[in-house]
Amino acid sequence: MVKSKVRFDGLDVAAMVAHWNRVALGRRVVNIYNGSNGDTYLIKLDKQTGEAGHMLLLLESGIRFHATNESYENPGMPSPFCAKLRKHLRGLRLESVQQLGKKDRVVLLTFGSGEAQRHALILEFYARGNIVLTNSSYSILSLLRSHDYD
């Protein structure tokens, strides 16, 4: 019996970063959708020549991220965080995917390049994880999960 992997470790993150660098770079963000729960988001990227459909990047905060070509039904009204992602990322090209640190479970997605670089998404894959939207100088614009410390 094969046990399926529940959470990504540092090696899984490195492998998926390499995969996304092969299949997703240079594609424009068409739209962003809520997933099946409050911690899941889908980024719909444009079609490449000769492809049957759009590519979807699935982000599960704290768990995993992967690419798929499966169709997806729009669930309706976006959450406030999803609306913020749409506002800032729609129409931009995915320019880089990097793992921060050699074995760390943090991924940096950069949208736009050079003077046009405007936003980055930081994905955290430990504990419950987080998704952080920043501007080009890495000031936080919005985040999925915030914490108040006394």
Side-chain angles (χ1 to χ4, degrees), residues 32-45:
I32 301 171
Y33 304 102
N34 294 321
S36 57
N37 62 41
D39 291 343
T40 304
Y41 295 88
L42 291 127
I43 300 176
K44 183 178 182 180
L45 300 177

Side-chain angles (χ1 to χ4, degrees), residues 2 19-20 33 46 56 62 73 76 96 107 128 133 147:
V2 177
H19 176 69
W20 278 22
Y33 304 102
D46 62 356
L56 289 175
E73 298 270 332
S96 111
V107 175
R128 285 190 63 209
L133 174 67
H147 301 282

Side-chain angles (χ1 to χ4, degrees), residues 1-12:
M1 182 171 158
V2 177
K3 185 177 178 184
S4 66
K5 191 149 197 126
V6 176
R7 293 185 177 274
F8 273 15
D9 60 20
L11 277 171
D12 297 316

Side-chain angles (χ1 to χ4, degrees), residues 17-28:
V17 164
H19 176 69
W20 278 22
N21 276 309
R22 283 192 310 276
V23 301
L25 289 189
R27 294 179 183 234
R28 285 193 189 279

Side-chain angles (χ1 to χ4, degrees), residues 44-64:
K44 183 178 182 180
L45 300 177
D46 62 356
K47 291 189 246 186
Q48 299 288 49
T49 306
E51 287 185 351
H54 295 277
M55 174 179 279
L56 289 175
L57 303 180
L58 179 73
L59 314 174
E60 293 180 77
S61 179
I63 300 174
R64 69 182 137 240

